Amino acid sequence: MQDFNIKRAWFTGEMLAPSVRKTLEENYNIDTYQAYAVTEPGGAIAYECSSKKGLHLMDEYIIEIVNPENGKQLEAGEIGEVVVTPVHNSTWGLIRFGTGDLSSYTDEPCPCGRTSRKLTGILGRIGEAVKVRGMFVVAKQVESVFAEFKQLAKCQITVNRTGQRDEMAITAEICYENIDKDKLSEELSKRFQSVCLVRPDGISFVPSGTLPQDGKTIVDMRKWE
Ligand SMILES: [Zn+2]
């Protein structure tokens, strides 16, 4: 393979797809790093370190994750809107700029030694999120959970409402029949709850090829009158 003499590349546009990152790193030997930039407050506001698990927040900004409906700060792990206030700009001010991007943060210690809080990634735009029992659920996050289960070919979640309660059901296509479905169901439910913070109300398994081919990960069946 030709050596282009590039050992490191930074990405600041759309988040890098895991498959593209894998190709760049494994096939081309290019070490990739992502940064999250927002033009209005001044550019890059978070960046990846060598652990590549989340993006450290930069000191030049106050970065909050808030409920877009009321602007209140959310806890670690909860998905909300990224809101940015630059604090070192001496020429102009911008207070609590709403980016429209969805993310969550973590306070877990990072192996790199930096102590700043990290964004877990950019999960999509506000309009793409579905609210289930008060929590935002985004397709990207759901897909990352499903991808961990090699026994599953494809999955879809359906959100419905019974009375005043949102109900969320998972339908999963399984790759082969002789699977311990009870065990898989329990593992999937646990993992889903720990990542998306919402417990699925039901999980059903169907043969491969059953789910619609429309590529929708989340189907919201609720009617808003
Ligand atoms: Zn780090």
Side-chain angles (χ1 to χ4, degrees), residues 2-22:
Q2 196 179 347
D3 184 2
F4 292 97
N5 203 26
I6 300 169
K7 295 291 177 229
R8 187 161 293 145
W10 278 88
F11 291 82
T12 54
E14 280 281 299
M15 288 287 112
L16 197 55
S19 58
V20 176
R21 168 168 253 181
K22 198 163 172 264

Side-chain angles (χ1 to χ4, degrees), residues 94-225:
L94 187 65
I95 297 170
R96 297 193 93 204
F97 176 77
T99 62
D101 291 326
L102 291 168
S103 186
S104 63
Y105 72 85
T106 171
D107 280 327
E108 300 265 308
C110 189
C112 77
R114 287 176 182 84
T115 52
S116 56
R117 197 171 258 189
K118 287 194 290 188
L119 293 182
T120 54
I122 300 302
L123 301 163
R125 300 284 296 166
I126 284 179
E128 297 163 3
V130 170
K131 210 166 186 188
V132 184
R133 300 200 286 273
M135 304 303 295
F136 282 105
V137 177
V138 236
K140 217 176 199 175
Q141 209 175 23
V142 172
E143 284 156 12
S144 78
V145 172
F146 293 155
E148 292 173 20
F149 291 84
K150 301 293 167 226
Q151 312 93 313
L152 305 178
K154 210 167 143 188
C155 288
Q156 196 171 61
I157 68 169
T158 318
V159 185
N160 227 318
R161 176 167 282 192
T162 313
Q164 290 302 305
R165 188 178 187 272
D166 295 324
E167 298 208 319
M168 187 182 62
I170 298 179
T171 310
E173 286 185 0
I174 41 173
C175 301
Y176 38 88
E177 266 306 312
N178 58 344
I179 282 176
D180 183 344
K181 290 179 188 161
D182 290 340
K183 189 165 166 258
L184 181 60
S185 176
E186 202 185 309
E187 286 171 1
L188 183 61
S189 178
K190 238 185 227 164
R191 189 67 192 130
F192 195 92
Q193 196 176 355
S194 85
V195 176
C196 302
L197 308 182
V198 183
R199 194 176 60 81
D201 295 291
I203 297 178
S204 48
F205 297 109
V206 295
S208 189
T210 314
L211 283 171
Q213 298 291 324
D214 56 10
K216 275 193 183 159
T217 306
I218 304 174
V219 181
D220 192 349
M221 318 265 283
R222 291 169 295 184
K223 295 198 172 37
W224 307 97
E225 276 102 33

Side-chain angles (χ1 to χ4, degrees), residues 47-54 56 109-116 118:
Y47 60 95
E48 274 184 332
C49 61
S50 53
S51 78
K52 299 182 187 176
K53 288 201 172 84
H56 285 284
C110 189
C112 77
R114 287 176 182 84
T115 52
S116 56
K118 287 194 290 188

